[in-house]
Each structure stands twice: as C-alpha cells, then as structure tokens.
Amino acid sequence: MKSLYGKLFIAFLISLIISFSIAGYFGIQKQSERIYEMVIQDCDRIHNLVLESIKYEDEALIANIISSADCQLFYEQNNQIHVYGIDEKQASETIDFVNNQTNFVQNKNYEQMYQNGRVYVVKKQMNQTNLYYHFNMAQEHGLYENGVLFAFVGIFVIGSFIFLIVADILVKPIKRLTKATNSVAHGNYDVQVNYYGKD
C-alpha cells in the first residue's frame, strides 16, 4: 500500500509543479506588463512637473520632485551632466548602456523604456535633450515573488493535508481487499469485506 500512496503523492506533486509553472509563467508576464504600465504612468506624471521646473531653471524644485517620486533623473545639456538622486558615474554608465541598446519596450506613447534586471530606464526628449528617468522596481518584483512563494507553500501544505485525507479514503477499501485476499491465501475462507460502493 505504501507504493500506492507514493504514486498518488508523486502524481499530486507533478500536477502541482506543472500547474504552478504554467500559472507562474503567465503571472510573471502579467506582472511585467503591470510594472511597465506603472513606470510609464509615474514617469509621465514626473516628466510634466520636471519640464516646468527646467523651464524656470528651478534646480531645487527638480531635486524635490525626484526625491519624492522615488526615482532618479539625469540628462546631458551643454556638455554637462545634470544628476538628481544618482551619482555622475552611474548616470554615465546608464547613458552608455542605453545608447548601446537596440531593443527597447515601446509603449502606446512611443516612449523608449530599457530594462536592466529590476531597473527600468525611460528615455524622454526635451527639445534636443534626452532625459533619462531611472526607476528601481526591486521592491515591486520582490513583493510579487514573495506572494508567489507564500502561495506555493500554502497550496503545498494545505494540498498535502487534503491529499492525505483523499488518499486514505481511496486506499482504505483496497487495503481491506488486500487483507482479505491474504487471509484467503493462508487458508482462511471465512472472510468478508464490508464495503458498499458503486465501484
């Protein structure tokens, strides 16, 4: 009977892994789309405020907008790199990274978005100047991954408990039949199996 329990448990594990793999794949795709949309919406809102501030050359206001928006901004103008919330070295590296990219995510507003791991860089234009908005979305990715892990552990624990109950219900009649068969094999013909079921 142990082998039957084992086979049932392996079947349960395989079905769990396959279903989670499929659900996880589509879930990750959907989550990526949500993060893209979130970054674009945040960036559009911040960009409009930054353009006004640049127009009035209000450096303090730009710095305030960027720090409250939880992102970084940098742009090159008149051979000078302007940085907000990021150091010049990292800004230069990101500009080099973006300039070497051929593939980018293009959304309905025709913005250019580049993804490097959990960091998203949105490239926007202001006259002849490229503005780079740098978003670190590690927290958003982490929350989703923790949620998936928690769901997987929860389903595994609850599923295992339910599996044990269902397996016991399925295997009990077979156990009784095996016991009765062994008794008959040893010469005891006065055996009854009390099981009432349509199967």
Side-chain angles (χ1 to χ4, degrees):
M1 279 316 109
K2 285 181 181 175
S3 63
L4 188 58
Y5 273 115
K7 285 173 185 173
L8 285 170
F9 191 70
I10 288 166
F12 164 71
L13 273 182
I14 290 169
S15 64
L16 194 68
I17 289 164
I18 290 170
S19 59
F20 245 88
S21 299
I22 294 166
Y25 173 78
F26 288 110
I28 288 165
Q29 293 290 102
K30 197 72 182 164
Q31 177 69 4
S32 295
E33 288 170 19
R34 271 196 223 109
I35 289 175
Y36 285 138
E37 287 300 315
M38 190 191 306
V39 168
I40 287 295
Q41 285 170 7
D42 285 352
C43 198
D44 286 341
R45 180 177 51 79
I46 297 160
H47 184 63
N48 291 332
L49 294 169
V50 166
L51 286 183
E52 285 296 310
S53 306
I54 289 173
K55 193 163 70 176
Y56 295 110
E57 298 181 359
D58 193 339
E59 295 274 331
L61 184 58
I62 297 170
N64 192 30
I65 290 164
I66 294 304
S67 65
S68 63
D70 199 24
C71 75
Q72 292 88 39
L73 166 67
F74 45 95
Y75 60 94
E76 205 168 1
Q77 197 175 45
N78 303 326
N79 294 324
Q80 184 185 356
I81 294 180
H82 299 263
V83 292
Y84 301 91
I86 192 170
D87 60 60
E88 281 191 36
K89 183 174 181 282
Q90 194 180 355
S92 296
E93 286 172 1
T94 306
I95 290 170
D96 290 342
F97 167 77
V98 168
N99 290 337
N100 291 328
Q101 298 303 303
T102 52
N103 298 323
F104 57 89
V105 177
Q106 192 165 310
N107 81 334
K108 57 190 174 188
N109 298 322
Y110 302 102
E111 303 294 351
Q112 290 184 3
M113 186 196 289
Y114 302 85
Q115 185 181 356
N116 184 12
R118 296 179 175 192
V119 171
Y120 296 76
V121 180
V122 183
K123 182 178 173 183
K124 284 180 172 278
Q125 282 200 320
M126 177 192 70
N127 302 326
Q128 299 301 312
T129 304
N130 290 322
L131 276 70
Y132 300 88
Y133 294 88
H134 189 270
F135 293 85
N136 188 340
M137 304 303 282
Q139 187 178 358
E140 285 74 6
H141 279 285
L143 284 170
Y144 177 74
E145 285 162 11
N146 288 342
V148 168
L149 184 65
F150 182 76
F152 184 81
V153 170
I155 288 170
F156 181 76
V157 170
I158 294 165
S160 297
F161 180 70
I162 293 168
F163 160 79
L164 289 171
I165 294 167
V166 171
D168 195 51
I169 291 166
L170 291 172
V171 172
K172 240 178 201 170
I174 301 168
K175 271 183 164 178
R176 288 187 198 135
L177 188 60
T178 304
K179 191 176 176 184
T181 308
N182 286 336
S183 292
V184 171
H186 288 94
N188 179 13
Y189 300 105
D190 189 25
V191 174
Q192 286 187 341
V193 179
N194 297 317
Y195 177 70
Y196 306 98
K198 292 179 181 178
D199 57 349

